[in-house]
């Protein structure tokens, strides 16, 4: 299937919030994916879930979440060494651990720490529900934006391993080189609403970019939190 180039908003467009961004994104995705049978939308938790809710509603498609945790360097959590998601899928950001002087044991400890948090988040968000199967389905991976791309890269690897038939990446904002970068790691299609130039951070495309709470994720997924949560 040829790559689509849907109409984008001006590069300096600023979304009111993630929901507004999701509505714009939903319209573009609807143009690219006219047949929504066997489509599942996966929002990357936490920030991608409110966006994904709007995309799923626009398509009339199933919605689920994919929890991805960035692996911060010991003592320097702002430096992402990579990312992890459930099923043991890990993506390492080039040679970042080596450049930061992080040895294999330290890296494994950091992964184990993020895995514990990941498991806790999944238990809260799913409330005992099994994840939706993506086998043989078209998967649309949604986040609130792309910066380094490490979180989306591990998400792509994961759904490929789960035998998705096609993998689309859909985000409201990303740098201009994101499309090629995501296709290089396995995305069949990349849909971006705005590409700021210069690109500084995902938040530059939002008026309201406050952190999404666990409660907002649960509400967007349509699940009630556990009784003790």
């Amino acid at each position: 299937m040829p790559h689509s180039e849907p109409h984008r908003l001006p590069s300096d467009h600023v979304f009111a919030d993630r929901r507004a961004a999701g509505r714009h994104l939903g319209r573009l995705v609807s143009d690219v994916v006219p047949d929504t049978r066997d489509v599942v939308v996966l929002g990357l938790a936490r920030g991608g879930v409110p966006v994904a809710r709007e995309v799923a509603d626009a398509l009339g498609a199933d919605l689920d979440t994919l929890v991805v945790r960035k692996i911060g360097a010991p003592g320097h959590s702002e430096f992402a060494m990579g990312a992890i998601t459930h099923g043991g899928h890990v993506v390492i950001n080039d040679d970042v651990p080596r450049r930061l002087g992080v040895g294999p044991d330290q890296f494994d400890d950091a992964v184990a720490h993020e895995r514990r948090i990941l498991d806790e988040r999944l238990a809260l968000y799913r409330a005992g529900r099994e994840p939706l199967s993506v086998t043989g389905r078209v998967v649309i991976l949604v986040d609130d934006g792309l910066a380094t791309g490490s979180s989306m890269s591990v998400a792509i690897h994961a759904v490929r391993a789960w035998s998705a038939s096609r993998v689309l990446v859909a985000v409201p904002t990303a740098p201009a080189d994101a499309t090629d970068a995501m296709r290089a790691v396995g995305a069949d299609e990349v849909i971006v609403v705005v590409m700021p130039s210069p690109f500084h951070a995902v938040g530059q495309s939002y008026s309201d970019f406050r952190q999404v709470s666990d409660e907002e994720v649960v509400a967007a997924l349509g699940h009630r939190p556990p009784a003790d949560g």
Side-chain angles (χ1 to χ4, degrees):
M1 178 179 177
H3 296 302
S4 300
E5 294 294 342
H7 176 70
R8 300 189 183 96
L9 292 175
S11 61
D12 60 352
H13 181 84
V14 176
F15 303 106
D17 54 23
R18 289 177 177 86
R19 293 280 191 175
R23 289 191 288 274
H24 280 286
L25 185 59
R27 287 193 284 272
L28 291 190
V29 174
S30 296
D31 290 339
V32 175
V33 188
D35 185 353
T36 59
R37 292 173 296 179
D38 293 325
V39 170
V40 59
V41 178
L42 297 182
L44 273 61
R46 287 180 287 189
V49 177
V51 183
R53 172 77 274 168
E54 300 295 334
V55 173
D57 287 349
L59 296 174
D62 290 337
L63 173 68
D64 205 344
T65 186
L66 189 65
V67 180
V68 175
R69 293 290 302 175
K70 290 181 179 178
I71 307 166
H76 300 280
S77 59
E78 69 275 15
F79 292 106
M81 299 187 293
I84 183 173
T85 190
H86 55 283
H89 299 280
V90 179
V91 167
I92 301 174
N93 285 345
D94 300 323
D95 64 343
V96 172
R98 182 190 61 78
R99 288 193 287 107
L100 295 176
V102 177
D105 290 343
Q106 285 180 298
F107 184 82
D108 288 346
D109 287 345
V111 170
H113 172 72
E114 297 302 334
R115 194 185 302 279
R116 286 192 294 272
I117 297 174
L118 187 154
D119 289 343
E120 291 171 359
R121 292 266 168 84
L122 276 176
L124 172 64
Y125 301 157
R126 296 203 181 285
R129 182 183 60 83
E130 290 297 315
L132 294 178
S133 173
V134 302
T135 301
R137 304 182 73 178
V138 175
V139 175
I140 303 173
L141 293 168
V142 178
D143 206 352
D144 52 17
L146 293 176
T148 65
S150 59
S151 295
M152 189 60 76
S153 294
V154 75
I156 292 169
H157 283 294
V159 296
R160 282 292 183 199
W162 298 331
S163 302
S165 65
R166 293 185 68 226
V167 180
L168 285 72
V169 169
V171 294
T173 181
D177 61 356
T179 298
D180 289 341
M182 292 299 98
R183 286 176 179 157
V185 295
D188 294 299
E189 197 83 43
V190 183
I191 303 165
V192 183
V193 183
V194 297
M195 291 184 172
S197 182
F199 183 92
H200 300 295
V202 171
Q204 79 186 84
S205 295
Y206 290 89
S207 292
D208 180 355
F209 196 61
R210 72 187 76 180
Q211 181 169 292
V212 174
S213 68
D214 289 332
E215 291 75 16
E216 288 177 276
V217 172
V218 171
L221 292 172
H223 306 308
R224 294 181 179 178
D228 59 355

